PDB file of all heavy atoms in Angstrom:
ATOM      1  N   ILE A   4       9.986  -8.336   0.943  1.00 98.00           N
ATOM      2  CA  ILE A   4       9.743  -8.036   2.362  1.00 98.00           C
ATOM      3  C   ILE A   4       8.578  -7.064   2.495  1.00 98.00           C
ATOM      4  O   ILE A   4       8.539  -6.029   1.815  1.00 98.00           O
ATOM      5  CB  ILE A   4      11.034  -7.482   3.017  1.00 98.00           C
ATOM      6  CG1 ILE A   4      12.117  -8.584   2.948  1.00 98.00           C
ATOM      7  CG2 ILE A   4      10.783  -7.029   4.461  1.00 98.00           C
ATOM      8  CD1 ILE A   4      13.477  -8.184   3.430  1.00 98.00           C
ATOM      9  N   GLY A   5       7.608  -7.425   3.321  1.00 98.00           N
ATOM     10  CA  GLY A   5       6.418  -6.599   3.517  1.00 98.00           C
ATOM     11  C   GLY A   5       6.548  -5.728   4.756  1.00 98.00           C
ATOM     12  O   GLY A   5       6.954  -6.202   5.817  1.00 98.00           O
ATOM     13  N   ILE A   6       6.219  -4.462   4.603  1.00 98.00           N
ATOM     14  CA  ILE A   6       6.194  -3.525   5.740  1.00 98.00           C
ATOM     15  C   ILE A   6       4.728  -3.422   6.142  1.00 98.00           C
ATOM     16  O   ILE A   6       3.911  -2.843   5.413  1.00 98.00           O
ATOM     17  CB  ILE A   6       6.771  -2.154   5.325  1.00 98.00           C
ATOM     18  CG1 ILE A   6       8.232  -2.323   4.859  1.00 98.00           C
ATOM     19  CG2 ILE A   6       6.671  -1.145   6.481  1.00 98.00           C
ATOM     20  CD1 ILE A   6       8.823  -1.075   4.205  1.00 98.00           C
ATOM     21  N   ILE A   7       4.371  -4.024   7.265  1.00 98.00           N
ATOM     22  CA  ILE A   7       2.961  -4.199   7.626  1.00 98.00           C
ATOM     23  C   ILE A   7       2.497  -3.099   8.587  1.00 98.00           C
ATOM     24  O   ILE A   7       3.079  -2.910   9.662  1.00 98.00           O
ATOM     25  CB  ILE A   7       2.745  -5.581   8.274  1.00 98.00           C
ATOM     26  CG1 ILE A   7       3.127  -6.666   7.252  1.00 98.00           C
ATOM     27  CG2 ILE A   7       1.307  -5.757   8.749  1.00 98.00           C
ATOM     28  CD1 ILE A   7       2.984  -8.078   7.754  1.00 98.00           C
ATOM     29  N   ILE A   8       1.449  -2.391   8.176  1.00 98.00           N
ATOM     30  CA  ILE A   8       0.874  -1.340   9.032  1.00 98.00           C
ATOM     31  C   ILE A   8      -0.091  -2.012  10.012  1.00 98.00           C
ATOM     32  O   ILE A   8      -1.060  -2.642   9.595  1.00 98.00           O
ATOM     33  CB  ILE A   8       0.103  -0.294   8.195  1.00 98.00           C
ATOM     34  CG1 ILE A   8       1.005   0.333   7.128  1.00 98.00           C
ATOM     35  CG2 ILE A   8      -0.508   0.779   9.100  1.00 98.00           C
ATOM     36  CD1 ILE A   8       0.257   1.239   6.147  1.00 98.00           C
ATOM     37  N   GLY A   9       0.161  -1.849  11.297  1.00 97.00           N
ATOM     38  CA  GLY A   9      -0.624  -2.562  12.309  1.00 97.00           C
ATOM     39  C   GLY A   9      -1.923  -1.907  12.722  1.00 97.00           C
ATOM     40  O   GLY A   9      -2.849  -2.581  13.165  1.00 97.00           O
ATOM     41  N   SER A  10      -2.021  -0.572  12.572  1.00 98.00           N
ATOM     42  CA  SER A  10      -3.241   0.108  13.034  1.00 98.00           C
ATOM     43  C   SER A  10      -4.212   0.303  11.881  1.00 98.00           C
ATOM     44  O   SER A  10      -3.800   0.361  10.717  1.00 98.00           O
ATOM     45  CB  SER A  10      -2.903   1.464  13.677  1.00 98.00           C
ATOM     46  OG  SER A  10      -2.233   2.289  12.740  1.00 98.00           O
ATOM     47  N   THR A  11      -5.494   0.420  12.205  1.00 98.00           N
ATOM     48  CA  THR A  11      -6.521   0.546  11.157  1.00 98.00           C
ATOM     49  C   THR A  11      -7.506   1.691  11.420  1.00 98.00           C
ATOM     50  O   THR A  11      -8.399   1.917  10.623  1.00 98.00           O
ATOM     51  CB  THR A  11      -7.337  -0.772  11.040  1.00 98.00           C
ATOM     52  OG1 THR A  11      -7.900  -1.071  12.311  1.00 98.00           O
ATOM     53  CG2 THR A  11      -6.480  -1.939  10.578  1.00 98.00           C
ATOM     54  N   ARG A  12      -7.348   2.411  12.526  1.00 98.00           N
ATOM     55  CA  ARG A  12      -8.375   3.405  12.885  1.00 98.00           C
ATOM     56  C   ARG A  12      -8.301   4.630  11.954  1.00 98.00           C
ATOM     57  O   ARG A  12      -7.220   4.943  11.419  1.00 98.00           O
ATOM     58  CB  ARG A  12      -8.202   3.837  14.354  1.00 98.00           C
ATOM     59  CG  ARG A  12      -6.997   4.692  14.566  1.00 98.00           C
ATOM     60  CD  ARG A  12      -6.781   5.166  15.983  1.00 98.00           C
ATOM     61  NE  ARG A  12      -5.576   5.985  16.012  1.00 98.00           N
ATOM     62  CZ  ARG A  12      -5.581   7.299  15.862  1.00 98.00           C
ATOM     63  NH1 ARG A  12      -6.710   7.951  15.726  1.00 98.00           N
ATOM     64  NH2 ARG A  12      -4.445   7.969  15.871  1.00 98.00           N
ATOM     65  N   PRO A  13      -9.440   5.344  11.759  1.00 97.00           N
ATOM     66  CA  PRO A  13      -9.402   6.598  10.994  1.00 97.00           C
ATOM     67  C   PRO A  13      -8.451   7.580  11.678  1.00 97.00           C
ATOM     68  O   PRO A  13      -8.423   7.637  12.914  1.00 97.00           O
ATOM     69  CB  PRO A  13     -10.846   7.117  11.066  1.00 97.00           C
ATOM     70  CG  PRO A  13     -11.670   5.961  11.513  1.00 97.00           C
ATOM     71  CD  PRO A  13     -10.774   5.042  12.299  1.00 97.00           C
ATOM     72  N   GLY A  14      -7.655   8.290  10.924  1.00 97.00           N
ATOM     73  CA  GLY A  14      -6.743   9.275  11.506  1.00 97.00           C
ATOM     74  C   GLY A  14      -5.463   8.680  12.045  1.00 97.00           C
ATOM     75  O   GLY A  14      -4.644   9.386  12.640  1.00 97.00           O
TER      76      GLY A  14
END
Side-chain angles (χ1 to χ4, degrees):
I4 297 175
I6 300 170
I7 299 179
I8 303 172
S10 59
T11 57
R12 72 179 180 92

